[in-house]
Amino acid sequence: MKVLCYDIGGTDIKYGIVEDGNLIEKASVRTDAALGQQALILRLVHTTREMLKKHEVEGVGVSCAGSINIETGTVIAAPEHIKEFLGLNFKQIFKDNFNLECFADNDVNCFAIAEGESGAAKKMSTYLTMTIGTGIGGGIVIRRQIWRGSFYNGAEFGRMFITDKKFEAICSTASLVRAARKAGLSVNNGVEVFEIYDDKNHEKNALAVKIVKEFYQSLAYGIANLFYIFDPEAIIIGGGISNRKRLAQEIRQELKKILDPAFFRNAVLLNAEHANDGGMLGAYYNFVKAYAKPESEN
């Protein structure tokens, strides 16, 4: 089955063709959410039209930031930094413009599904996923099923409070960059913060080490709470930051200081295997599950 898949975030719209679980073509465009919802819809229509000139697809799978009603394909709660997403109805967009079926879900749910199907959690039954980027997203998988909550708002890890601040206000990559700049580092993104952190000969290495250590400590507090509440087989870290191979190991060192030994003994923290393409792959698996015909009908 060939499916056109989108992974829509606050910065970029990633899209591609997934066939039989393999991503055979992909590209991306800027989201430019500030231009408004209609501009975003026009961008989706344009990219879809271009892709359909090259590929015949069964339908569209969408991974999108925010809370998604999977029955209607509608964004019912948008992330605080991209309010323009609120009310987007993906099923309607693709049905009205292309007569294509669509399955839309929260981006971290899609990421969690991809990790379970063909990533770090493929041998697990119950696990959590957490993406760290502009904000922090969460996914909960219990006995191989996504738990979306009673009203499709489940697993909003970034909105939980650590003291008087939301988790993502102090532990997202965006917050790390803000802290680095406030401390005097001239950086544009998280990659540059970690480059100074890793370069022991850099004149501001000590400052970067202090900032990253505080970042890891704050992450560890939130992650410890998740281990205490869910007792999962593992928590899998995604987002662009998960390209850092030592990430899970470095956070776990801070986790060891605060997590009860009885819990720490089983606290598995892993980097995602689908760091950049997990959203699109999860959107594909969702669509196939919803629309694939039984073999007897083929």
Side-chain angles (χ1 to χ4, degrees):
M1 178 178 277
K2 187 184 286 189
V3 181
L4 171 59
C5 296
Y6 282 95
D7 183 12
I8 305 171
T11 304
D12 296 304
I13 299 173
K14 291 179 277 191
Y15 61 98
I17 299 293
V18 183
E19 183 173 18
D20 299 329
N22 299 306
L23 189 59
I24 62 174
E25 181 179 344
K26 65 178 179 178
S28 67
V29 294
R30 299 290 289 180
T31 306
D32 288 333
L35 295 178
Q37 189 175 118
Q38 192 57 37
L40 178 59
I41 293 172
L42 290 174
R43 185 164 285 128
L44 291 174
V45 170
H46 173 73
T47 54
T48 300
R49 186 173 290 121
E50 293 302 306
M51 292 299 276
L52 293 182
K53 290 177 182 178
K54 299 183 287 182
H55 300 278
E56 184 175 342
V57 301
E58 298 289 331
V60 182
V62 173
S63 159
C64 182
S67 300
I68 313 289
N69 181 325
I70 63 170
E71 303 301 325
T72 65
T74 305
V75 179
I76 58 174
E80 294 184 0
H81 56 286
I82 36 179
K83 294 292 187 184
E84 295 83 1
F85 284 16
L86 184 64
L88 278 170
N89 186 320
F90 295 108
K91 280 183 178 287
Q92 183 177 354
I93 291 169
F94 294 104
K95 193 70 173 177
D96 289 354
N97 287 280
F98 304 101
N99 197 31
L100 287 173
E101 299 294 347
C102 171
F103 192 101
D105 200 355
N106 166 267
D107 56 347
V108 191
N109 286 344
C110 289
F111 164 66
I113 290 166
E115 288 298 316
E117 290 288 340
S118 56
K122 56 183 173 287
K123 295 182 179 180
M124 299 179 192
S125 172
T126 297
Y127 59 94
L128 307 181
T129 54
M130 187 172 80
T131 56
I132 305 170
T134 307
I136 289 180
I140 301 169
V141 179
I142 299 174
R143 297 186 180 93
R144 304 293 294 180
Q145 298 295 317
I146 290 286
W147 190 82
R148 295 182 174 88
S150 300
F151 306 101
Y152 304 106
N153 288 316
E156 285 289 332
F157 297 164
R159 294 178 188 256
M160 68 181 178
F161 283 88
I162 305 294
T163 64
D164 62 338
K165 293 183 173 61
K166 288 185 177 179
F167 191 34
E168 64 186 7
I170 55 176
C171 295
S172 62
T173 307
S175 70
L176 171 65
V177 174
R178 285 196 300 271
R181 289 173 177 169
K182 186 176 180 180
L185 294 182
S186 180
V187 293
N188 296 306
N189 50 53
V191 172
E192 292 180 6
V193 176
F194 280 104
E195 285 176 351
I196 299 173
Y197 172 80
D198 290 328
D199 184 359
K200 299 190 183 305
N201 295 319
H202 195 286
E203 60 180 352
K204 293 192 175 180
N205 170 260
L207 181 58
V209 168
K210 178 177 181 295
I211 293 164
V212 172
K213 185 175 178 63
E214 290 173 352
F215 173 68
Y216 282 159
Q217 288 172 337
S218 297
L219 270 174
Y221 282 120
I223 291 170
N225 289 336
L226 296 175
F227 274 116
Y228 282 136
I229 296 167
F230 292 100
D231 190 27
E233 292 172 65
I235 296 178
I236 298 164
I237 307 294
I241 195 172
S242 66
N243 287 321
R244 181 175 180 78
K245 301 300 183 185
R246 303 196 305 274
L247 179 71
Q249 177 186 345
E250 290 170 339
I251 297 173
R252 200 168 186 274
Q253 289 173 357
E254 297 301 322
L255 197 60
K256 185 177 182 179
K257 300 174 184 177
I258 59 173
L259 200 60
D260 185 284
F263 287 80
F264 181 77
R265 184 164 52 246
N266 300 311
V268 177
L269 200 62
L270 300 171
N271 282 33
E273 292 186 12
H274 297 304
N276 295 315
D277 300 328
M280 286 187 285
L281 290 171
Y284 167 82
Y285 290 124
N286 263 341
F287 183 89
V288 169
K289 184 176 180 180
Y291 292 106
K293 295 178 182 178
E295 289 187 9
S296 59
E297 295 183 22
N298 292 331

